[in-house]
Short mmCIF file of all heavy atoms in Angstrom, two decimals:
data_model
loop_
_atom_site.label_atom_id
_atom_site.label_comp_id
_atom_site.label_asym_id
_atom_site.label_seq_id
_atom_site.Cartn_x
_atom_site.Cartn_y
_atom_site.Cartn_z
N CYS E 70 31.23 15.64 -9.74
CA CYS E 70 29.98 16.15 -9.16
C CYS E 70 28.77 15.34 -9.62
O CYS E 70 27.74 15.90 -9.97
CB CYS E 70 29.77 17.60 -9.57
SG CYS E 70 31.08 18.72 -9.16
N GLN E 71 28.87 14.04 -9.64
CA GLN E 71 27.80 13.23 -10.20
C GLN E 71 26.90 12.58 -9.16
O GLN E 71 26.14 11.67 -9.47
CB GLN E 71 28.38 12.18 -11.13
CG GLN E 71 29.06 12.81 -12.33
CD GLN E 71 29.57 11.78 -13.31
OE1 GLN E 71 29.84 10.64 -12.97
NE2 GLN E 71 29.70 12.19 -14.55
N THR E 72 26.95 13.08 -7.93
CA THR E 72 26.09 12.58 -6.86
C THR E 72 25.25 13.73 -6.33
O THR E 72 25.77 14.83 -6.12
CB THR E 72 26.93 11.99 -5.71
OG1 THR E 72 27.69 10.89 -6.23
CG2 THR E 72 26.06 11.50 -4.57
N ILE E 73 23.96 13.50 -6.12
CA ILE E 73 23.08 14.50 -5.53
C ILE E 73 22.72 14.02 -4.13
O ILE E 73 22.25 12.89 -3.95
CB ILE E 73 21.81 14.69 -6.38
CG1 ILE E 73 22.19 15.20 -7.78
CG2 ILE E 73 20.84 15.65 -5.69
CD1 ILE E 73 21.04 15.23 -8.76
N SER E 74 22.97 14.89 -3.14
CA SER E 74 22.72 14.55 -1.73
C SER E 74 22.04 15.72 -1.04
O SER E 74 22.03 16.84 -1.56
CB SER E 74 24.05 14.28 -1.01
OG SER E 74 24.78 13.28 -1.67
N VAL E 75 21.50 15.46 0.14
CA VAL E 75 20.93 16.52 0.98
C VAL E 75 21.55 16.45 2.37
O VAL E 75 21.98 15.39 2.82
CB VAL E 75 19.39 16.45 1.09
CG1 VAL E 75 18.73 16.76 -0.24
CG2 VAL E 75 18.93 15.10 1.62
N SER E 76 21.60 17.61 3.05
CA SER E 76 22.12 17.67 4.41
C SER E 76 21.54 18.89 5.12
O SER E 76 20.79 19.66 4.52
CB SER E 76 23.65 17.76 4.41
OG SER E 76 24.07 19.02 3.93
N HIS E 77 21.90 19.05 6.38
CA HIS E 77 21.51 20.21 7.18
C HIS E 77 20.01 20.47 7.18
O HIS E 77 19.56 21.60 7.06
CB HIS E 77 22.27 21.46 6.73
CG HIS E 77 23.74 21.35 6.93
ND1 HIS E 77 24.56 20.71 6.03
CD2 HIS E 77 24.53 21.76 7.95
CE1 HIS E 77 25.81 20.76 6.47
NE2 HIS E 77 25.82 21.38 7.65
N LEU E 78 19.25 19.41 7.31
CA LEU E 78 17.78 19.49 7.33
C LEU E 78 17.30 20.12 8.62
O LEU E 78 17.71 19.72 9.71
CB LEU E 78 17.20 18.09 7.18
CG LEU E 78 15.71 17.92 7.41
CD1 LEU E 78 14.93 18.67 6.34
CD2 LEU E 78 15.34 16.45 7.41
N LYS E 79 16.41 21.11 8.50
CA LYS E 79 15.80 21.74 9.67
C LYS E 79 14.35 22.08 9.36
O LYS E 79 14.02 22.53 8.27
CB LYS E 79 16.52 23.03 10.05
CG LYS E 79 17.90 22.84 10.59
CD LYS E 79 18.50 24.16 10.98
CE LYS E 79 19.95 23.98 11.38
NZ LYS E 79 20.60 25.25 11.67
N ASP E 80 13.51 21.87 10.34
CA ASP E 80 12.13 22.34 10.29
C ASP E 80 12.05 23.43 11.34
O ASP E 80 11.99 23.14 12.54
CB ASP E 80 11.15 21.21 10.61
CG ASP E 80 9.70 21.65 10.53
OD1 ASP E 80 9.44 22.87 10.53
OD2 ASP E 80 8.82 20.77 10.49
N PRO E 81 12.07 24.71 10.94
CA PRO E 81 12.07 25.80 11.93
C PRO E 81 10.89 25.77 12.90
O PRO E 81 11.01 26.22 14.03
CB PRO E 81 12.03 27.06 11.06
CG PRO E 81 12.52 26.64 9.73
CD PRO E 81 12.12 25.19 9.59
N THR E 82 9.78 25.21 12.47
CA THR E 82 8.60 25.15 13.33
C THR E 82 8.72 24.04 14.37
O THR E 82 8.21 24.16 15.48
CB THR E 82 7.33 24.93 12.47
OG1 THR E 82 7.29 25.94 11.47
CG2 THR E 82 6.08 25.02 13.31
#
Side-chain angles (χ1 to χ4, degrees):
C70 303
Q71 296 184 336
T72 299
I73 298 172
S74 305
V75 292
S76 70
H77 296 83
L78 170 65
K79 291 182 187 176
D80 181 344
T82 307

